[in-house]
Amino acid sequence: MPTIALLTPPAWAEFAGILPGLIPALTALVLILLNVFHRGTESPRDYLAYVASIGLGLTLVTCWVLWDDTLTRPIFHGTLYLDRFSLFFTGLCSASGLLAMLMSPRFLRSHGLDRVEYYMLILLSVSGMAFLVQSADLLTFFVAFEAMSIPVYCIAAFMRRDARSAEAGMKYFILGAFSAALMLYGIAMLYGATGTTNLEVIGETVIGLMTDPASQSANGIIMLGMLLVLSGFAFKVAAAPFHLWTPDVYNGSPTPSVGFMATAVKAAAFAPMIRVLNTAFGHVGQMGAGEAVQMISLRGGFYGYGWIDVLLVLAGASMVLGNLVAITQSNVKRMLAYSSIAHAGYILVGFIASGAEADFFLYHDAVLFYLVSYTFGTLGAFGVLAYFERQGRSVETYDDLAGLGWQFPTIGLLMGTFMFSSAGIPPTAGFVGKLYVFKSAVDVGQATGDLTFIWLAVLAVLTSVAGVYYYLRVLVSMYMYERDEELEGVGHPAAKFALVVCGFFSLYLGILPGGAMDMSRQAVIDMAGAPESIQEVQQDGREALQERLGVADEGGASDE
Amino acid sequence: MTWEPTLAHYLILAAGTFSIGVIGVMVRRNALTLFMCIELMLNSVNLTFIAFSKYRVDLDGHIFSFFVMAVAAAEAAVGLAIILHIFRHYRSVNVDEVRQLKN
């Protein structure tokens, strides 16, 4: 980056680009200020949750307003992007944070944790996520990554009187800091080999280095750096074998926030994963001819920056391990933790398929859609557990859930929707998500003639069948077992509202996935910073989408 | 002729201290020691950045190392608070004794 460019101030239009990250952070400050004027230690602080929700609602509105107003070039001197891809993920993370906060007040009050810091930490984490999904430079990426993670470590250890929460916080913190340090070393290697931290420049430099036989040592360094960065991503999305923290952290953390950790953090880690791997290492499969292609193809194993091969192993291991271990669990929270590992595996299947060649880039929309469907299903499942859980009465095991479906018909019905969606049974969002992801793997396998993708899709289908067992077991204990005493002091209108919203979207996206699918498609074709080979595919996708939407408009007009 | 350290020397030193940090995290069981090992890893990363930065005559690496320090400070604040929290509940900071969460 030429130094003189840094001396010119950013244009006013660029400041709109940081609004999605700025609004949650400012709302966090407003919350602290409001809390100063709070009188009476015993009076409830529910209103803080609503104020924080309004802040995240504003973030959602901002994403909506900016949706048609994106910039293809990076803003703030090549450090951030303002594209639909980032707005999509910011919207998803704010929605997840908003719903998780609405589920929290009653739970926190009964545990004696009714404090402003909880909402503040979620807001600050969402702010970090907004910048993380926008990052166009490894420096902003790293800072935002930590701005997202550090508040989440605090949330995990938030239950001060609970030794298990402390344990969850410690495990998350130590392993998280360790993986962040590994990733940072990888970034240092990438900087050393390419001389820059800008993703696009790294991408261009990597091509130059790979076609130059004299730069073998630099290639080794880049490969090491890329694998270390990949390990950091795998840790955050909880892919096996980097999943060891997941069950313990999800089990010990305050239940309403676990939904946020399991969905928003995972989505916010997948977004830069798509961006970094495609922008900085994405076009290596498209270069040269003959032997050169063999050497630098993405499926070249460890000697061709082969992140596809590495992720193949991670995806297979996550699906098998997550599903098999989830079956053996007697604790529903741990079961959901292992199933979230399995979901990371499914998402990786779609990610691998769409990353295989530049031509398949648009298949990333399946990944985005899957993340949306996963968010509502998982958030709702943890929300239901938090709905019942009170001080001194944990609702964690299958036995604890016995008979609750009859005592609380609405919640039982919603839990059924969430479990069906997570298991991938029609007509829920999870089914459509799984269908698109597995179909993309099969399509890519057929188009390239590479049987690995087909086998991966077969493995994914088989393991998700195993998943049906433990999801339905929740419903079996809710409806088919008797309960001696009735649960008292359950529920909160805001929590119920959040659960209904999750349930509505789990069903709506299953019946009418078109709108969300189009948004995912637009997000993918608007992803800025993509290398030229991918830009061509994006252009094709843009034309196809406009054609399809245009046809839909005409159809609507003729109806009138 | 005086001896001058080259890029490779710095990188090998940084890789050595980084490996000590990694091995420390895997071998030691005291939460505070683990934390110090992580700090050691972060500092070796800083050394790597500065060495590359000097070698390439490019200031980006210097700037990056400042951000790493700032993040390490934030991590230290949170990490020490969590370790204190652990000590209140378990009267120990040995990670092997902190195991109530299991199936």
Side-chain angles (χ1 to χ4, degrees), chain B residues 52-84:
Chain B
F52 277 132
S53 189
K54 174 107 185 349
Y55 172 71
R56 290 190 164 274
V57 198
D58 175 78
L59 275 180
D60 284 5
H62 279 86
I63 295 166
F64 212 120
S65 69
F66 278 112
F67 278 95
V68 173
M69 281 186 233
V71 167
E75 254 178 11
V78 168
L80 290 178
I82 289 177
I83 292 171
L84 198 67

PDB file of all heavy atoms in Angstrom, chain B residues 52-84:
ATOM      1  N   PHE B  52      10.743  -9.824  10.255  1.00  0.00           N
ATOM      2  CA  PHE B  52      10.310  -9.723   8.859  1.00  0.00           C
ATOM      3  C   PHE B  52      10.184  -8.266   8.438  1.00  0.00           C
ATOM      4  O   PHE B  52      10.517  -7.891   7.315  1.00  0.00           O
ATOM      5  CB  PHE B  52       8.964 -10.433   8.674  1.00  0.00           C
ATOM      6  CG  PHE B  52       9.075 -11.913   8.467  1.00  0.00           C
ATOM      7  CD1 PHE B  52       8.276 -12.794   9.177  1.00  0.00           C
ATOM      8  CD2 PHE B  52       9.965 -12.429   7.544  1.00  0.00           C
ATOM      9  CE1 PHE B  52       8.366 -14.156   8.977  1.00  0.00           C
ATOM     10  CE2 PHE B  52      10.055 -13.796   7.337  1.00  0.00           C
ATOM     11  CZ  PHE B  52       9.257 -14.660   8.060  1.00  0.00           C
ATOM     12  N   SER B  53       9.681  -7.464   9.344  1.00  0.00           N
ATOM     13  CA  SER B  53       9.466  -6.058   9.038  1.00  0.00           C
ATOM     14  C   SER B  53      10.787  -5.377   8.716  1.00  0.00           C
ATOM     15  O   SER B  53      10.905  -4.614   7.759  1.00  0.00           O
ATOM     16  CB  SER B  53       8.791  -5.405  10.234  1.00  0.00           C
ATOM     17  OG  SER B  53       8.385  -4.126   9.933  1.00  0.00           O
ATOM     18  N   LYS B  54      11.828  -5.673   9.534  1.00  0.00           N
ATOM     19  CA  LYS B  54      13.140  -5.071   9.318  1.00  0.00           C
ATOM     20  C   LYS B  54      13.744  -5.585   8.016  1.00  0.00           C
ATOM     21  O   LYS B  54      14.309  -4.832   7.222  1.00  0.00           O
ATOM     22  CB  LYS B  54      14.041  -5.436  10.509  1.00  0.00           C
ATOM     23  CG  LYS B  54      15.473  -5.019  10.402  1.00  0.00           C
ATOM     24  CD  LYS B  54      15.713  -3.870  11.338  1.00  0.00           C
ATOM     25  CE  LYS B  54      17.093  -3.248  11.259  1.00  0.00           C
ATOM     26  NZ  LYS B  54      18.119  -3.896  10.525  1.00  0.00           N
ATOM     27  N   TYR B  55      13.558  -6.883   7.778  1.00  0.00           N
ATOM     28  CA  TYR B  55      14.135  -7.506   6.594  1.00  0.00           C
ATOM     29  C   TYR B  55      13.523  -6.922   5.331  1.00  0.00           C
ATOM     30  O   TYR B  55      14.210  -6.696   4.335  1.00  0.00           O
ATOM     31  CB  TYR B  55      13.865  -9.015   6.671  1.00  0.00           C
ATOM     32  CG  TYR B  55      14.228  -9.801   5.431  1.00  0.00           C
ATOM     33  CD1 TYR B  55      15.562 -10.005   5.089  1.00  0.00           C
ATOM     34  CD2 TYR B  55      13.226 -10.350   4.635  1.00  0.00           C
ATOM     35  CE1 TYR B  55      15.881 -10.738   3.968  1.00  0.00           C
ATOM     36  CE2 TYR B  55      13.554 -11.079   3.510  1.00  0.00           C
ATOM     37  CZ  TYR B  55      14.882 -11.265   3.182  1.00  0.00           C
ATOM     38  OH  TYR B  55      15.192 -11.982   2.071  1.00  0.00           O
ATOM     39  N   ARG B  56      12.220  -6.651   5.383  1.00  0.00           N
ATOM     40  CA  ARG B  56      11.528  -6.171   4.199  1.00  0.00           C
ATOM     41  C   ARG B  56      11.478  -4.658   4.121  1.00  0.00           C
ATOM     42  O   ARG B  56      10.913  -4.109   3.163  1.00  0.00           O
ATOM     43  CB  ARG B  56      10.085  -6.701   4.187  1.00  0.00           C
ATOM     44  CG  ARG B  56      10.017  -8.187   3.936  1.00  0.00           C
ATOM     45  CD  ARG B  56       8.597  -8.623   3.702  1.00  0.00           C
ATOM     46  NE  ARG B  56       8.570  -9.936   3.107  1.00  0.00           N
ATOM     47  CZ  ARG B  56       8.651 -10.161   1.797  1.00  0.00           C
ATOM     48  NH1 ARG B  56       8.750  -9.148   0.967  1.00  0.00           N
ATOM     49  NH2 ARG B  56       8.631 -11.383   1.333  1.00  0.00           N
ATOM     50  N   VAL B  57      12.010  -3.970   5.159  1.00  0.00           N
ATOM     51  CA  VAL B  57      11.964  -2.503   5.241  1.00  0.00           C
ATOM     52  C   VAL B  57      10.525  -2.037   4.997  1.00  0.00           C
ATOM     53  O   VAL B  57      10.219  -1.273   4.092  1.00  0.00           O
ATOM     54  CB  VAL B  57      12.925  -1.839   4.231  1.00  0.00           C
ATOM     55  CG1 VAL B  57      13.174  -0.391   4.651  1.00  0.00           C
ATOM     56  CG2 VAL B  57      14.208  -2.603   4.121  1.00  0.00           C
ATOM     57  N   ASP B  58       9.630  -2.554   5.832  1.00  0.00           N
ATOM     58  CA  ASP B  58       8.213  -2.289   5.670  1.00  0.00           C
ATOM     59  C   ASP B  58       7.635  -2.166   7.070  1.00  0.00           C
ATOM     60  O   ASP B  58       7.913  -2.998   7.931  1.00  0.00           O
ATOM     61  CB  ASP B  58       7.579  -3.469   4.906  1.00  0.00           C
ATOM     62  CG  ASP B  58       6.083  -3.346   4.801  1.00  0.00           C
ATOM     63  OD1 ASP B  58       5.629  -2.575   3.954  1.00  0.00           O
ATOM     64  OD2 ASP B  58       5.377  -4.020   5.576  1.00  0.00           O
ATOM     65  N   LEU B  59       6.866  -1.109   7.315  1.00  0.00           N
ATOM     66  CA  LEU B  59       6.456  -0.839   8.700  1.00  0.00           C
ATOM     67  C   LEU B  59       5.225  -1.634   9.149  1.00  0.00           C
ATOM     68  O   LEU B  59       4.900  -1.615  10.329  1.00  0.00           O
ATOM     69  CB  LEU B  59       6.176   0.652   8.875  1.00  0.00           C
ATOM     70  CG  LEU B  59       7.428   1.485   9.174  1.00  0.00           C
ATOM     71  CD1 LEU B  59       7.064   2.937   9.324  1.00  0.00           C
ATOM     72  CD2 LEU B  59       8.118   0.979  10.420  1.00  0.00           C
ATOM     73  N   ASP B  60       4.549  -2.314   8.215  1.00  0.00           N
ATOM     74  CA  ASP B  60       3.332  -3.022   8.591  1.00  0.00           C
ATOM     75  C   ASP B  60       3.561  -3.993   9.749  1.00  0.00           C
ATOM     76  O   ASP B  60       2.725  -4.121  10.638  1.00  0.00           O
ATOM     77  CB  ASP B  60       2.781  -3.803   7.387  1.00  0.00           C
ATOM     78  CG  ASP B  60       2.103  -2.887   6.385  1.00  0.00           C
ATOM     79  OD1 ASP B  60       2.162  -1.664   6.614  1.00  0.00           O
ATOM     80  OD2 ASP B  60       1.553  -3.387   5.394  1.00  0.00           O
ATOM     81  N   GLY B  61       4.670  -4.679   9.726  1.00  0.00           N
ATOM     82  CA  GLY B  61       4.952  -5.656  10.768  1.00  0.00           C
ATOM     83  C   GLY B  61       5.105  -5.006  12.132  1.00  0.00           C
ATOM     84  O   GLY B  61       4.646  -5.536  13.142  1.00  0.00           O
ATOM     85  N   HIS B  62       5.745  -3.839  12.168  1.00  0.00           N
ATOM     86  CA  HIS B  62       5.864  -3.120  13.435  1.00  0.00           C
ATOM     87  C   HIS B  62       4.495  -2.782  13.998  1.00  0.00           C
ATOM     88  O   HIS B  62       4.222  -2.961  15.177  1.00  0.00           O
ATOM     89  CB  HIS B  62       6.639  -1.812  13.214  1.00  0.00           C
ATOM     90  CG  HIS B  62       8.117  -1.999  13.179  1.00  0.00           C
ATOM     91  ND1 HIS B  62       8.773  -2.339  12.035  1.00  0.00           N
ATOM     92  CD2 HIS B  62       9.046  -1.884  14.137  1.00  0.00           C
ATOM     93  CE1 HIS B  62      10.064  -2.435  12.303  1.00  0.00           C
ATOM     94  NE2 HIS B  62      10.249  -2.162  13.567  1.00  0.00           N
ATOM     95  N   ILE B  63       3.636  -2.277  13.092  1.00  0.00           N
ATOM     96  CA  ILE B  63       2.300  -1.875  13.537  1.00  0.00           C
ATOM     97  C   ILE B  63       1.550  -3.084  14.069  1.00  0.00           C
ATOM     98  O   ILE B  63       0.902  -3.040  15.114  1.00  0.00           O
ATOM     99  CB  ILE B  63       1.549  -1.217  12.360  1.00  0.00           C
ATOM    100  CG1 ILE B  63       2.253   0.068  11.965  1.00  0.00           C
ATOM    101  CG2 ILE B  63       0.110  -0.946  12.725  1.00  0.00           C
ATOM    102  CD1 ILE B  63       1.814   0.625  10.645  1.00  0.00           C
ATOM    103  N   PHE B  64       1.689  -4.193  13.340  1.00  0.00           N
ATOM    104  CA  PHE B  64       0.995  -5.414  13.757  1.00  0.00           C
ATOM    105  C   PHE B  64       1.421  -5.801  15.171  1.00  0.00           C
ATOM    106  O   PHE B  64       0.602  -6.179  16.010  1.00  0.00           O
ATOM    107  CB  PHE B  64       1.297  -6.547  12.776  1.00  0.00           C
ATOM    108  CG  PHE B  64       0.174  -7.527  12.621  1.00  0.00           C
ATOM    109  CD1 PHE B  64      -0.423  -7.742  11.382  1.00  0.00           C
ATOM    110  CD2 PHE B  64      -0.298  -8.233  13.708  1.00  0.00           C
ATOM    111  CE1 PHE B  64      -1.466  -8.631  11.238  1.00  0.00           C
ATOM    112  CE2 PHE B  64      -1.337  -9.126  13.565  1.00  0.00           C
ATOM    113  CZ  PHE B  64      -1.924  -9.322  12.329  1.00  0.00           C
ATOM    114  N   SER B  65       2.717  -5.688  15.455  1.00  0.00           N
ATOM    115  CA  SER B  65       3.177  -6.126  16.771  1.00  0.00           C
ATOM    116  C   SER B  65       2.586  -5.250  17.874  1.00  0.00           C
ATOM    117  O   SER B  65       2.316  -5.739  18.971  1.00  0.00           O
ATOM    118  CB  SER B  65       4.698  -6.133  16.829  1.00  0.00           C
ATOM    119  OG  SER B  65       5.169  -4.821  16.787  1.00  0.00           O
ATOM    120  N   PHE B  66       2.332  -3.968  17.578  1.00  0.00           N
ATOM    121  CA  PHE B  66       1.678  -3.128  18.596  1.00  0.00           C
ATOM    122  C   PHE B  66       0.269  -3.627  18.878  1.00  0.00           C
ATOM    123  O   PHE B  66      -0.175  -3.681  20.028  1.00  0.00           O
ATOM    124  CB  PHE B  66       1.624  -1.670  18.132  1.00  0.00           C
ATOM    125  CG  PHE B  66       2.901  -0.935  18.390  1.00  0.00           C
ATOM    126  CD1 PHE B  66       3.702  -0.528  17.358  1.00  0.00           C
ATOM    127  CD2 PHE B  66       3.296  -0.678  19.694  1.00  0.00           C
ATOM    128  CE1 PHE B  66       4.882   0.128  17.596  1.00  0.00           C
ATOM    129  CE2 PHE B  66       4.466  -0.015  19.941  1.00  0.00           C
ATOM    130  CZ  PHE B  66       5.274   0.389  18.891  1.00  0.00           C
ATOM    131  N   PHE B  67      -0.435  -3.986  17.804  1.00  0.00           N
ATOM    132  CA  PHE B  67      -1.798  -4.488  18.005  1.00  0.00           C
ATOM    133  C   PHE B  67      -1.777  -5.800  18.777  1.00  0.00           C
ATOM    134  O   PHE B  67      -2.647  -6.050  19.613  1.00  0.00           O
ATOM    135  CB  PHE B  67      -2.504  -4.657  16.661  1.00  0.00           C
ATOM    136  CG  PHE B  67      -3.083  -3.373  16.139  1.00  0.00           C
ATOM    137  CD1 PHE B  67      -2.379  -2.590  15.255  1.00  0.00           C
ATOM    138  CD2 PHE B  67      -4.322  -2.941  16.581  1.00  0.00           C
ATOM    139  CE1 PHE B  67      -2.902  -1.402  14.800  1.00  0.00           C
ATOM    140  CE2 PHE B  67      -4.855  -1.754  16.124  1.00  0.00           C
ATOM    141  CZ  PHE B  67      -4.143  -0.980  15.230  1.00  0.00           C
ATOM    142  N   VAL B  68      -0.780  -6.640  18.485  1.00  0.00           N
ATOM    143  CA  VAL B  68      -0.686  -7.903  19.225  1.00  0.00           C
ATOM    144  C   VAL B  68      -0.505  -7.620  20.703  1.00  0.00           C
ATOM    145  O   VAL B  68      -1.117  -8.263  21.565  1.00  0.00           O
ATOM    146  CB  VAL B  68       0.469  -8.756  18.671  1.00  0.00           C
ATOM    147  CG1 VAL B  68       0.679  -9.976  19.536  1.00  0.00           C
ATOM    148  CG2 VAL B  68       0.169  -9.170  17.251  1.00  0.00           C
ATOM    149  N   MET B  69       0.340  -6.613  21.020  1.00  0.00           N
ATOM    150  CA  MET B  69       0.542  -6.280  22.442  1.00  0.00           C
ATOM    151  C   MET B  69      -0.752  -5.817  23.083  1.00  0.00           C
ATOM    152  O   MET B  69      -1.070  -6.197  24.214  1.00  0.00           O
ATOM    153  CB  MET B  69       1.586  -5.179  22.553  1.00  0.00           C
ATOM    154  CG  MET B  69       2.996  -5.662  22.414  1.00  0.00           C
ATOM    155  SD  MET B  69       4.085  -4.284  22.739  1.00  0.00           S
ATOM    156  CE  MET B  69       5.100  -4.321  21.304  1.00  0.00           C
ATOM    157  N   ALA B  70      -1.502  -4.979  22.356  1.00  0.00           N
ATOM    158  CA  ALA B  70      -2.763  -4.476  22.916  1.00  0.00           C
ATOM    159  C   ALA B  70      -3.724  -5.626  23.169  1.00  0.00           C
ATOM    160  O   ALA B  70      -4.334  -5.720  24.251  1.00  0.00           O
ATOM    161  CB  ALA B  70      -3.390  -3.466  21.959  1.00  0.00           C
ATOM    162  N   VAL B  71      -3.826  -6.544  22.196  1.00  0.00           N
ATOM    163  CA  VAL B  71      -4.729  -7.679  22.367  1.00  0.00           C
ATOM    164  C   VAL B  71      -4.246  -8.566  23.508  1.00  0.00           C
ATOM    165  O   VAL B  71      -5.043  -9.070  24.308  1.00  0.00           O
ATOM    166  CB  VAL B  71      -4.837  -8.465  21.042  1.00  0.00           C
ATOM    167  CG1 VAL B  71      -5.492  -9.798  21.272  1.00  0.00           C
ATOM    168  CG2 VAL B  71      -5.629  -7.664  20.024  1.00  0.00           C
ATOM    169  N   ALA B  72      -2.913  -8.742  23.618  1.00  0.00           N
ATOM    170  CA  ALA B  72      -2.383  -9.579  24.695  1.00  0.00           C
ATOM    171  C   ALA B  72      -2.725  -8.965  26.044  1.00  0.00           C
ATOM    172  O   ALA B  72      -3.033  -9.687  26.999  1.00  0.00           O
ATOM    173  CB  ALA B  72      -0.874  -9.725  24.537  1.00  0.00           C
ATOM    174  N   ALA B  73      -2.714  -7.629  26.130  1.00  0.00           N
ATOM    175  CA  ALA B  73      -3.069  -6.975  27.396  1.00  0.00           C
ATOM    176  C   ALA B  73      -4.529  -7.234  27.730  1.00  0.00           C
ATOM    177  O   ALA B  73      -4.873  -7.555  28.873  1.00  0.00           O
ATOM    178  CB  ALA B  73      -2.798  -5.482  27.296  1.00  0.00           C
ATOM    179  N   ALA B  74      -5.407  -7.128  26.711  1.00  0.00           N
ATOM    180  CA  ALA B  74      -6.828  -7.394  26.953  1.00  0.00           C
ATOM    181  C   ALA B  74      -7.033  -8.829  27.384  1.00  0.00           C
ATOM    182  O   ALA B  74      -7.794  -9.126  28.317  1.00  0.00           O
ATOM    183  CB  ALA B  74      -7.626  -7.107  25.677  1.00  0.00           C
ATOM    184  N   GLU B  75      -6.303  -9.742  26.718  1.00  0.00           N
ATOM    185  CA  GLU B  75      -6.416 -11.149  27.081  1.00  0.00           C
ATOM    186  C   GLU B  75      -5.929 -11.385  28.500  1.00  0.00           C
ATOM    187  O   GLU B  75      -6.504 -12.176  29.239  1.00  0.00           O
ATOM    188  CB  GLU B  75      -5.601 -11.997  26.100  1.00  0.00           C
ATOM    189  CG  GLU B  75      -6.467 -12.742  25.125  1.00  0.00           C
ATOM    190  CD  GLU B  75      -5.655 -13.544  24.135  1.00  0.00           C
ATOM    191  OE1 GLU B  75      -4.434 -13.693  24.324  1.00  0.00           O
ATOM    192  OE2 GLU B  75      -6.255 -14.016  23.164  1.00  0.00           O
ATOM    193  N   ALA B  76      -4.863 -10.681  28.889  1.00  0.00           N
ATOM    194  CA  ALA B  76      -4.327 -10.864  30.234  1.00  0.00           C
ATOM    195  C   ALA B  76      -5.352 -10.439  31.264  1.00  0.00           C
ATOM    196  O   ALA B  76      -5.551 -11.124  32.282  1.00  0.00           O
ATOM    197  CB  ALA B  76      -3.038 -10.063  30.385  1.00  0.00           C
ATOM    198  N   ALA B  77      -6.026  -9.305  31.024  1.00  0.00           N
ATOM    199  CA  ALA B  77      -7.020  -8.826  31.984  1.00  0.00           C
ATOM    200  C   ALA B  77      -8.109  -9.863  32.189  1.00  0.00           C
ATOM    201  O   ALA B  77      -8.446 -10.228  33.321  1.00  0.00           O
ATOM    202  CB  ALA B  77      -7.618  -7.511  31.486  1.00  0.00           C
ATOM    203  N   VAL B  78      -8.643 -10.366  31.084  1.00  0.00           N
ATOM    204  CA  VAL B  78      -9.724 -11.343  31.172  1.00  0.00           C
ATOM    205  C   VAL B  78      -9.218 -12.665  31.738  1.00  0.00           C
ATOM    206  O   VAL B  78      -9.839 -13.271  32.612  1.00  0.00           O
ATOM    207  CB  VAL B  78     -10.352 -11.546  29.780  1.00  0.00           C
ATOM    208  CG1 VAL B  78     -11.260 -12.745  29.773  1.00  0.00           C
ATOM    209  CG2 VAL B  78     -11.119 -10.311  29.378  1.00  0.00           C
ATOM    210  N   GLY B  79      -8.050 -13.099  31.258  1.00  0.00           N
ATOM    211  CA  GLY B  79      -7.523 -14.396  31.657  1.00  0.00           C
ATOM    212  C   GLY B  79      -7.222 -14.452  33.145  1.00  0.00           C
ATOM    213  O   GLY B  79      -7.588 -15.411  33.822  1.00  0.00           O
ATOM    214  N   LEU B  80      -6.588 -13.406  33.681  1.00  0.00           N
ATOM    215  CA  LEU B  80      -6.268 -13.435  35.105  1.00  0.00           C
ATOM    216  C   LEU B  80      -7.536 -13.414  35.939  1.00  0.00           C
ATOM    217  O   LEU B  80      -7.613 -14.082  36.980  1.00  0.00           O
ATOM    218  CB  LEU B  80      -5.365 -12.247  35.453  1.00  0.00           C
ATOM    219  CG  LEU B  80      -3.954 -12.376  34.864  1.00  0.00           C
ATOM    220  CD1 LEU B  80      -3.130 -11.159  35.184  1.00  0.00           C
ATOM    221  CD2 LEU B  80      -3.261 -13.622  35.385  1.00  0.00           C
ATOM    222  N   ALA B  81      -8.548 -12.658  35.480  1.00  0.00           N
ATOM    223  CA  ALA B  81      -9.815 -12.640  36.219  1.00  0.00           C
ATOM    224  C   ALA B  81     -10.429 -14.034  36.240  1.00  0.00           C
ATOM    225  O   ALA B  81     -10.927 -14.486  37.283  1.00  0.00           O
ATOM    226  CB  ALA B  81     -10.776 -11.653  35.574  1.00  0.00           C
ATOM    227  N   ILE B  82     -10.370 -14.733  35.108  1.00  0.00           N
ATOM    228  CA  ILE B  82     -10.965 -16.074  35.059  1.00  0.00           C
ATOM    229  C   ILE B  82     -10.186 -17.031  35.955  1.00  0.00           C
ATOM    230  O   ILE B  82     -10.761 -17.857  36.672  1.00  0.00           O
ATOM    231  CB  ILE B  82     -11.022 -16.575  33.595  1.00  0.00           C
ATOM    232  CG1 ILE B  82     -12.084 -15.790  32.823  1.00  0.00           C
ATOM    233  CG2 ILE B  82     -11.352 -18.048  33.540  1.00  0.00           C
ATOM    234  CD1 ILE B  82     -12.188 -16.147  31.370  1.00  0.00           C
ATOM    235  N   ILE B  83      -8.853 -16.893  35.965  1.00  0.00           N
ATOM    236  CA  ILE B  83      -8.050 -17.789  36.801  1.00  0.00           C
ATOM    237  C   ILE B  83      -8.332 -17.520  38.290  1.00  0.00           C
ATOM    238  O   ILE B  83      -8.422 -18.440  39.111  1.00  0.00           O
ATOM    239  CB  ILE B  83      -6.557 -17.639  36.454  1.00  0.00           C
ATOM    240  CG1 ILE B  83      -6.310 -18.176  35.033  1.00  0.00           C
ATOM    241  CG2 ILE B  83      -5.697 -18.395  37.433  1.00  0.00           C
ATOM    242  CD1 ILE B  83      -4.951 -17.899  34.502  1.00  0.00           C
ATOM    243  N   LEU B  84      -8.535 -16.247  38.629  1.00  0.00           N
ATOM    244  CA  LEU B  84      -8.887 -15.893  40.003  1.00  0.00           C
ATOM    245  C   LEU B  84     -10.218 -16.534  40.395  1.00  0.00           C
ATOM    246  O   LEU B  84     -10.385 -17.074  41.490  1.00  0.00           O
ATOM    247  CB  LEU B  84      -8.998 -14.368  40.096  1.00  0.00           C
ATOM    248  CG  LEU B  84      -8.937 -13.755  41.485  1.00  0.00           C
ATOM    249  CD1 LEU B  84      -7.551 -13.966  42.056  1.00  0.00           C
ATOM    250  CD2 LEU B  84      -9.243 -12.268  41.413  1.00  0.00           C
TER     251      LEU B  84
END
